[in-house]
Amino acid sequence: ILWDLDTGQPIKTLKGHTDPVMDVSVTPDAKRAVSGSWDNTCILWDLDTGQPSKTLKGHTGSVHAVSVTPDAKHAISGSKDETCILWDLDAGQPCKTLKGHTSEVFAVSVTPDGKRAVSGSWDGTCILWDLDTGQPSKTFKGHTSLVAAVSVTPDGKRAISGSRDNTCILWDLDTVQPSKTLKGHTSDVWAVSVTPDAKRAISGSWDNTCILWDLDTGQPSKTLK
């Protein structure tokens, strides 16, 4: 559903998938969106008409995550088939299939320059991908359970991941090291998002709370119940 945030009312209902929709990413110009579904496809939507403009087919398992590049020309998806696919949105075709994880991919986030992406997997790792080559450049190890959420900071220097081990980890993308482990949740962390100034992040957990984190200190500043 496309919502009017001022009125809180639905504008359009977007229909096209045949199974549950797991993730959505909007292009920076707000004209299109890409969704990923258990039906193994992504759909590129025209937000003015509410109609699907292209169906992106290539995965052999359910699609859990999608992230659009800043230039709105490409998107990356993560799937149960253990791969990510980089898509050409104008052509509606896959550019590259990114292979490196050993279990399903549950989260993806593109860097602000559109040259790299970070994925999180049920294999407990995150991978930093070079989108020009389609090859993994770094593997991040530190979580003790599956990684369910990833978000790159707006400055492109760090990423935060959320895991079933109840923690978030703040990663330095250059050194591949965890700079901070964020502890405060009492159950799985399934969602993370960074503020535009890259100073804070918010995580969502199965413990029914969200936590607002200070990324400089690694401490929770507020628990949202």
Side-chain angles (χ1 to χ4, degrees):
I1 294 178
L2 179 66
W3 298 91
D4 185 314
L5 297 184
D6 290 327
T7 65
Q9 297 300 310
I11 301 171
K12 295 181 179 76
T13 300
L14 285 58
K15 297 180 180 179
H17 285 296
T18 57
D19 275 309
V21 178
M22 294 297 291
D23 201 12
V24 177
S25 183
V26 177
T27 58
D29 60 12
K31 293 181 178 180
R32 301 187 293 177
V34 180
S35 56
S37 168
W38 279 8
D39 64 13
N40 299 1
T41 73
C42 297
I43 290 180
L44 177 65
W45 302 92
D46 183 316
L47 295 185
D48 289 329
T49 66
Q51 297 299 310
S53 58
K54 293 182 177 73
T55 299
L56 312 181
K57 298 180 179 180
H59 283 296
T60 59
S62 54
V63 180
H64 296 311
V66 291
S67 184
V68 175
T69 57
D71 62 7
K73 294 181 178 179
H74 298 87
I76 185 172
S77 56
S79 170
K80 187 177 181 179
D81 65 15
E82 302 178 5
T83 72
C84 296
I85 291 179
L86 181 67
W87 302 93
D88 182 319
L89 295 184
D90 290 329
Q93 296 296 318
C95 303
K96 297 178 180 76
T97 299
L98 285 58
K99 298 179 180 180
H101 284 296
T102 58
S103 187
E104 54 193 285
V105 181
F106 227 82
V108 290
S109 183
V110 177
T111 58
D113 61 8
K115 295 181 178 180
R116 302 184 295 174
V118 179
S119 59
S121 169
W122 282 33
D123 63 16
T125 71
C126 296
I127 291 179
L128 179 65
W129 301 93
D130 182 320
L131 296 185
D132 288 331
T133 65
Q135 296 300 309
S137 58
K138 291 164 183 165
T139 299
F140 300 83
K141 298 179 180 180
H143 284 296
T144 58
S145 187
L146 64 89
V147 179
V150 172
S151 183
V152 174
T153 58
D155 59 12
K157 296 179 179 179
R158 300 180 294 177
I160 185 171
S161 56
S163 169
R164 187 173 271 182
D165 65 13
N166 303 357
T167 73
C168 298
I169 292 180
L170 184 65
W171 304 92
D172 184 309
L173 295 188
D174 291 326
T175 65
V176 205
Q177 295 300 314
S179 56
K180 293 179 179 73
T181 299
L182 313 181
K183 298 180 180 180
H185 285 295
T186 59
S187 189
D188 313 10
V189 180
W190 282 86
V192 289
S193 186
V194 180
T195 57
D197 61 8
K199 293 182 178 179
R200 298 185 294 175
I202 188 167
S203 57
S205 168
W206 278 14
D207 63 14
N208 300 336
T209 72
C210 294
I211 292 179
L212 181 65
W213 302 93
D214 182 318
L215 295 186
D216 289 331
T217 65
Q219 297 300 310
S221 57
K222 292 185 179 78
T223 299
L224 312 178
K225 299 180 180 180

